Amino acid sequence: MRNGVPCARSVPKPSAKPPSPAQLAQQMRMKLTMRFLAPLAPVLEETFKPDSRQVKSGLNWATKQVLQDAVVGDYPHLSIDPRRVMVSWGGQLALQKPVLAIGGDGLCTLQWHGDSPFVDGNAPAFLLVYNETQGRVVVSDGTACRGDGELSLQLAPRLMRGRLHGYGFVMDRRRRAASRSVFLGTWIDGERKESDLPVMDGHTAPSTSDALEGDRL
């Protein structure tokens, strides 16, 4: 508005200054994170439930966790460390001492210590298998319970091709709260990659994202 007459402002010109190395690094960190999490987005909406989550999506919370904990290396040699990625988050107790075996026929068997008098043994336990190469995710049906100590999941033969990551977690019976997921290993074309054994036996990966419980995106 000038002298009572509406007028349009000129469109700002794009900056001719090239992005700084820090800006390029942040752009690459975000690109890697979104590429890794995109196939997981529908699952994360149900499983990523920190206590302070309100209107923001599970994908937003998971993005923050991966950026803080799972992007490793120095620019431009950045990558996602799947051992440090969480596919679920919440106040439920995580699976204790889980071990995942994947047979050549695609049969996944997850076992854990299921007997504890201090937790709900009827809480559903889940196995999530993520084929990063193909961008496909398979989750068990939730009929197994924490107290069972074991569940099975059959993968189609085509899902055995490429790079697979396994994660285990628990949700309460109303699916309103989850545990932090536990990384179970990486398989490449059906062979376990020994360097990607769980970071801590029976525990979630070390995380700096405890602030998720108090911060809002």
Side-chain angles (χ1 to χ4, degrees), residues 198-216:
V199 179
M200 299 173 64
D201 185 18
H203 296 280
T204 56
S207 173
T208 61
S209 292
D210 289 330
L212 284 176
E213 299 297 343
D215 291 350
R216 298 180 182 179

Side-chain angles (χ1 to χ4, degrees), residues 25-207:
Q26 184 59 24
Q27 290 172 8
M28 186 175 181
R29 286 166 56 86
M30 180 61 73
K31 183 177 180 179
L32 289 171
T33 297
M34 297 310 299
R35 180 187 300 165
F36 188 92
L37 291 179
L40 293 161
V43 177
L44 295 171
E45 188 61 30
E46 300 300 323
T47 62
F48 222 90
K49 299 183 176 183
D51 292 341
S52 57
R53 174 178 168 183
Q54 294 184 1
V55 298
K56 295 299 183 182
S57 70
L59 177 59
N60 282 357
W61 285 108
T63 298
K64 181 173 183 178
Q65 186 272 318
V66 171
L67 286 171
Q68 288 181 348
D69 297 328
V71 181
V72 297
D74 298 315
Y75 178 79
H77 306 292
L78 298 172
S79 62
I80 301 293
D81 185 345
R83 298 170 298 178
R84 304 185 70 90
V85 172
M86 299 285 187
V87 300
S88 68
W89 189 288
Q92 296 290 303
L93 181 67
L95 291 174
Q96 301 299 296
K97 299 186 181 300
V99 177
L100 175 62
I102 302 180
D105 58 354
L107 180 62
C108 305
T109 303
L110 174 60
Q111 297 178 318
W112 64 90
H113 287 192
D115 52 341
S116 173
F118 305 108
V119 295
D120 181 6
N122 293 317
F126 295 87
L127 168 62
L128 181 148
V129 177
Y130 175 25
N131 188 313
E132 184 182 356
T133 304
Q134 301 180 26
R136 301 188 64 181
V137 178
V138 180
V139 184
S140 61
D141 58 13
T143 56
C145 297
R146 184 198 295 272
D148 296 336
E150 180 175 322
L151 67 80
S152 297
L153 175 65
Q154 180 66 56
L155 298 180
R158 63 182 180 277
L159 287 178
M160 296 292 291
R161 297 192 293 268
R163 183 178 175 90
L164 298 177
H165 310 298
Y167 299 89
F169 60 93
V170 175
M171 299 192 74
D172 70 359
R173 282 182 272 181
R174 295 186 294 175
R175 308 294 202 273
R176 294 184 178 179
S179 70
R180 298 189 190 188
S181 59
V182 181
F183 174 75
L184 303 168
T186 291
W187 285 255
I188 299 177
D189 294 330
E191 297 294 329
R192 182 162 192 152
K193 187 179 178 184
E194 294 300 328
S195 62
D196 280 340
L197 289 174
V199 179
M200 299 173 64
D201 185 18
H203 296 280
T204 56
S207 173

Side-chain angles (χ1 to χ4, degrees), residues 11-22:
V11 177
K13 296 180 180 180
S15 174
K17 185 178 180 181
S20 68

